Amino acid sequence: YLPVALLIGAGLALGAYRLQANRQSFKEQLRRAMRANEFQVHYQPVYGRATGRCEGVEALMRWERPGVGPVRPDVFIAAAEADGMIIELTRHLLTLIERDVLTWATPPDFHVGVNIAAEHLSSPGLVPDIQAFAAAIVARRPLVVLEITERSLISDNGQARRNIDTLRAEGLRVAIDDFGTGHCSLSYLQKFPVDYLKVDKGFVQAIGPAGEEAPVLDAIITLASRLGLAVVAEGVEARYQFDYLEARGVAFFQGYFFARPMPSAEFARWHAAGAKP
Ligand code: C2E
Ligand code: CA
Ligand code: CA
Ligand code: CA
């Protein structure tokens, strides 16, 4: 059996080596892509119910590989997280957003939402990174909103909580992203001071076209209001979804029904023209 064991051992070693080599090259690919300016940010408008207008945007990363085409953000972001590159990539993204925000004519308190990965949230580098970002765009006086997932709260060792406390004390806001798709959400909601709940589009899609009830969605909206949190509904694609949500007091809406994510220059023109679809 020895030769077989040796073969398997060698195979495993080779496999691990290949993985290592791939990891190395993916890291290098990301760094090269950052230097070559292959990353872009698209901005998706967020509508406020109280004003009936676009009150902010969510920044969404885009990677267009020359000769390959667009890479799906959930795919390359998951890979960047697995390779310990997400903090570096997010810092790069923040510099791109800074440059874009300064070109817009948005009013004070316009929301600028940024997705923050779990590793970044629980790192001591988050506060200085976000402070530098907020300082760079202070001329526009925006309201910076950090979008974090339930998962990043569950794995917290205390640092995430300290980061959130520090940044909220400086006027930044925090949203729980994809709410309802993670675990143990309820106990963590009591433990962490946050401002918004972003309800995952899966719950919005549960609304029937004839206004059929979506009981889990209803329960989330009730829970949020009891906790004093504003709800942001994601993935609103149709009028009947908007009507349903509006009737239940949802404060903010995001989705193709209002506007798709768009490049900075397009967003600036669209906003200047009155933010009409
Ligand atoms: P997310 O944070 O939940 O972002 C919302 C996603 O829903 C975006 O997908 C957006 O384009 C899409 N969306 C917006 N409206 C609609 C709609 O009406 N219908 C449907 N079906 N989809 C809609 P996108 O841009 O492909 O991003 C996917 C995910 O990748 C994001 O989900 C987020 O988890 C991650 N991501 C994107 N950019 C960043 C980033 O800069 N940093 C981090 N950490 N994650 C990011
Ligand atoms: Ca998000
Ligand atoms: Ca989301
Ligand atoms: Ca999502």
Side-chain angles (χ1 to χ4, degrees), residues 194-234:
V194 300
D195 305 283
Y196 305 107
L197 277 194
K198 294 195 81 169
V199 179
D200 193 69
K201 51 180 164 278
F203 297 106
V204 173
Q205 278 156 11
I207 302 168
E212 292 94 336
E213 286 187 18
V216 179
L217 174 66
D218 291 357
I220 293 174
I221 295 168
T222 305
L223 172 75
S225 97
R226 294 288 295 274
L227 292 168
L229 305 176
V231 173
V232 186
E234 295 190 306

Side-chain angles (χ1 to χ4, degrees), residues 16-45:
Y17 170 78
R18 286 230 177 93
L19 204 62
Q20 208 59 34
N22 280 337
R23 285 247 163 90
Q24 193 58 38
S25 73
F26 183 68
K27 247 184 198 166
E28 285 313 311
Q29 280 170 40
L30 282 181
R31 292 209 168 108
R32 189 201 45 73
M34 285 189 251
R35 285 193 301 271
N37 258 310
E38 290 176 14
F39 291 99
Q40 254 210 349
V41 193
H42 283 196
Y43 298 92
Q44 185 174 35

Side-chain angles (χ1 to χ4, degrees), residues 37-271:
N37 258 310
E38 290 176 14
F39 291 99
Q40 254 210 349
V41 193
H42 283 196
Y43 298 92
Q44 185 174 35
V46 176
Y47 271 74
R49 167 189 146 99
T51 60
R53 305 182 54 149
C54 168
E55 292 191 26
V57 287
E58 175 177 4
L60 295 158
M61 215 180 311
R62 294 291 179 262
W63 184 10
E64 182 80 27
R65 301 190 75 173
V68 178
V71 188
R72 280 182 46 186
D74 43 349
V75 171
F76 72 79
I77 283 157
E81 291 190 42
D83 270 5
M85 283 294 288
I86 191 64
I87 294 182
E88 211 173 307
L89 191 59
T90 304
R91 284 188 184 132
H92 179 68
L93 176 88
L94 292 172
T95 65
L96 301 178
I97 302 174
E98 288 166 9
R99 196 197 51 195
D100 291 343
V101 167
L102 292 174
T103 67
W104 305 340
T106 48
D109 292 331
F110 191 76
H111 298 201
V112 177
V114 181
N115 292 288
I116 299 295
E119 188 195 345
H120 205 175
L121 182 71
S122 53
S123 96
L126 182 80
V127 169
D129 285 350
I130 298 301
Q131 284 171 334
F133 171 68
I137 56 177
V138 72
R140 293 259 82 85
R141 309 222 160 267
L143 195 61
V144 176
V145 181
L146 304 183
E147 300 196 0
I148 64 177
T149 60
E150 296 163 72
R151 189 172 67 81
S152 55
L153 298 183
I154 291 158
S155 60
D156 181 39
N157 53 7
Q159 184 69 51
R161 172 68 201 249
R162 287 194 294 280
N163 287 343
I164 291 174
D165 287 345
T166 305
L167 291 170
R168 282 183 84 246
E170 294 179 10
L172 282 90
R173 302 228 177 133
V174 176
I176 307 281
D177 205 357
D178 299 341
F179 184 76
T181 62
H183 306 281
C184 327
S185 353
L186 302 183
S187 54
Y188 285 86
L189 273 186
Q190 289 202 313
K191 220 174 102 186
F192 283 87
V194 300
D195 305 283
Y196 305 107
L197 277 194
K198 294 195 81 169
V199 179
D200 193 69
K201 51 180 164 278
F203 297 106
V204 173
Q205 278 156 11
I207 302 168
E212 292 94 336
E213 286 187 18
V216 179
L217 174 66
D218 291 357
I220 293 174
I221 295 168
T222 305
L223 172 75
S225 97
R226 294 288 295 274
L227 292 168
L229 305 176
V231 173
V232 186
E234 295 190 306
V236 181
E237 294 179 350
R239 170 105 233 166
Y240 67 83
Q241 294 169 333
F242 170 65
D243 290 341
Y244 185 102
L245 295 158
E246 198 197 24
R248 282 159 182 78
V250 168
F252 298 100
F253 307 89
Q254 199 179 335
Y256 300 162
F257 179 63
F258 299 96
R260 293 195 170 243
M262 49 192 135
S264 174
E266 192 183 324
F267 168 74
R269 280 194 300 275
W270 177 89
H271 188 265

